Amino acid sequence: MIDDIFPTGRAWIELNRDALRHNVRVLSALLPPGCDLMPVVKANAYGHGMTLVAKELWAQGLHAFCVATAMEGVELREAGIAGEILVLGYTHPGYFPLLQRYRLTQTVPEPAYAEALSQAGFPIRVQLKLDTGMHRLGMDVRETDRIAALFDLPNLEIMGAFTHLCADTSTSPHDKAITAAQAAAFRSTLDALAAKGCAVPKAHLLASYGLLNYPELGGDYARTGIALYGLLSEKGDACPVELCPVLSLKARIAQIHVLAAGDKAGYDHAFCAQQETCLATLTIGYADGLPRSLSEGVGEVLIHGHKAPIAGRICMDQTLVDVTNIPQAAPGDEAILIGTSGSLTITAGDMAEKTSTLTNEILSRLGPRLNRIWV
Ligand SMILES: *Cc1c(COP(=O)(O)O)cnc(C)c1O
């Protein structure tokens, strides 16, 4: 990439290697016996940069990964990632040859899909997805006979079975009851399959919150996404360990305008200066993943250790911020959208809270124009 010449010139993501190592360490300490981390690097590793993150995790000794799509799996293989790569989502039959060529493990959501895979005519690795209550992808756990029949299909190499918990973000009585019922359905289905001679090599049900809140449920893998990146989906959720955010989001000041009281700025002239005001134009916009709903003072950035509120409407590639109280701000200076400056920090969780969404959505929408570098 031509941007390698100066990756921090416009808008970029800094990835903190020590933070990722720390998260791997504290999450590994929570693992039940016999369970390994299986990092989830879908959606460009939640915006962090899929191949960068996967290579680093590989170097840290983690050798099984989850992606959402077959093409993400292909990209990992082309980047040199060996080991198991589990495609969590639906893959159209048109991609079946890729599954074989790149040795990807495909999730089987229903028996008919397994038959289609088998009929492709070449060996394909699969994991069976069991629906224990989420009703998103997965086979009805009451149909153990139909599931057991899949073990007789030619060409399917059944590597494991898994399910997904849908209420594991807390240990409230409500969530606990749902989680216990899902775990029980999962175990009893695996037992029923084993009794028919259809034992699966690997079984897993924990994602990040499952590992944090219900490690006793066990399994061969914990499919951790958000927690590995040092965050929770929602800021206020309880967490038994201290996680360190891996990602910072930064941009630069392109220009500073001095407005007189009454002057207006930006699209629709939505910003009106109440007094003499200095506005800095930042080199980042909503096309980079900065939510436009942070416009007009909802969001702020950090410059030289001070807060600068967003002024007027966020544009596609640029954003105005009020730097009246930061006289040293000058073109070329860094602005921190997510991260720490001096004694102040803005987290992805803060941004998510202000825009009524999850950290996962904020992160996974960080765009391809952002350069990503390790620090
Ligand atoms: C995305 C996903 C995960 C990871 O979830 P986190 O909450 O980010 O840890 C695990 N399992 C499945 C099936 C997923 O789709």
Side-chain angles (χ1 to χ4, degrees):
M1 278 268 286
I2 202 126
D3 268 350
D4 289 347
I5 296 165
F6 200 74
T8 63
R10 180 185 169 264
W12 70 98
I13 284 169
E14 291 180 1
L15 302 172
N16 185 322
R17 207 185 297 270
D18 290 338
L20 185 61
R21 289 203 177 119
H22 167 89
N23 299 332
V24 168
R25 193 164 53 241
V26 297
L27 292 171
S28 297
L30 292 177
L31 290 168
C35 185
D36 288 321
L37 288 180
M38 192 185 209
V40 179
V41 295
K42 64 191 180 187
N44 205 20
Y46 295 39
H48 291 61
M50 184 176 67
T51 55
L52 282 178
V53 167
K55 283 181 182 175
E56 175 60 28
L57 291 169
W58 181 274
Q60 291 182 30
L62 301 178
H63 296 158
F65 298 89
C66 297
V67 294
T69 74
M71 287 315 291
E72 288 175 338
V74 169
E75 202 183 323
L76 279 187
R77 286 281 189 243
E78 303 235 290
I81 297 293
E84 170 138 25
I85 298 178
L86 172 61
V87 179
L88 297 170
Y90 171 81
T91 298
H92 187 276
Y95 289 81
F96 287 172
L98 282 186
L99 295 176
Q100 188 211 23
R101 190 179 326 147
Y102 289 90
R103 293 170 292 106
L104 306 176
T105 302
Q106 174 58 44
T107 293
V108 174
E110 53 181 348
Y113 189 86
E115 283 150 21
L117 277 167
S118 171
Q119 281 158 16
F122 41 77
I124 299 182
R125 299 179 187 186
V126 300
Q127 290 214 22
L128 307 178
K129 182 79 184 277
L130 303 180
D131 178 15
T132 54
M134 178 97 171
H135 302 330
R136 186 173 65 174
L137 284 185
M139 294 184 254
D140 189 331
V141 287
R142 290 166 301 189
E143 301 200 327
T144 40
D145 288 338
R146 281 198 77 193
I147 300 170
L150 305 181
F151 287 73
D152 296 328
L153 288 174
N155 294 322
L156 291 193
E157 203 181 324
I158 298 178
M159 316 284 289
F162 69 107
T163 194
H164 195 53
L165 302 174
C166 53
D168 56 358
T169 56
S170 89
T171 51
S172 69
H174 172 265
D175 287 353
K176 224 176 200 164
I178 296 170
T179 302
Q182 285 192 271
F186 186 56
R187 287 289 153 210
S188 65
T189 308
L190 295 177
D191 289 347
L193 288 172
K196 295 176 196 291
C198 302
V200 290
K202 303 275 186 191
H204 45 108
L205 73 172
L206 304 177
S208 290
Y209 279 97
L211 178 60
L212 295 172
N213 294 329
Y214 299 95
E216 69 280 3
L217 296 180
D220 295 300
Y221 289 121
R223 304 182 306 267
T224 45
I226 193 68
L228 265 184
Y229 305 109
L231 293 154
L232 297 176
S233 297
E234 294 193 78
K235 248 176 79 181
D237 291 336
C239 188
V241 293
E242 185 135 13
L243 299 169
C244 291
V246 172
L247 174 146
S248 299
L249 176 63
K250 301 187 178 182
R252 292 201 184 267
I253 297 177
Q255 188 176 1
I256 296 196
H257 287 277
V258 182
L259 275 62
D263 281 356
K264 298 189 165 75
Y267 281 122
D268 306 324
H269 267 183
F271 180 79
C272 179
Q274 303 300 307
Q275 60 204 11
E276 189 177 271
T277 298
C278 293
L279 290 187
T281 308
L282 304 185
T283 53
I284 189 167
Y286 59 75
D288 299 297
L290 187 66
R292 189 168 175 275
S293 53
L294 291 173
S295 293
E296 297 184 67
V298 174
E300 56 202 12
V301 309
L302 303 177
I303 297 172
H304 294 303
H306 300 278
K307 288 180 185 173
I310 293 176
R313 307 230 203 283
I314 294 173
C315 309
M316 187 180 287
D317 322 300
Q318 303 174 85
T319 298
L320 300 175
V321 296
D322 188 336
V323 293
T324 310
N325 297 324
I326 316 173
Q328 68 271 44
D333 287 355
E334 279 185 23
I336 292 163
L337 291 292
I338 296 172
T340 297
S341 175
S343 61
L344 299 178
T345 297
I346 297 174
T347 65
D350 296 328
M351 207 179 259
E353 194 170 50
K354 287 184 170 184
T355 56
S356 309
T357 186
L358 305 179
T359 32
N360 310 39
E361 181 176 352
I362 296 289
L363 294 172
S364 63
R365 288 176 169 234
L366 294 174
R369 278 199 313 212
L370 300 167
N371 293 316
R372 287 153 170 92
I373 56 167
W374 288 107
V375 293

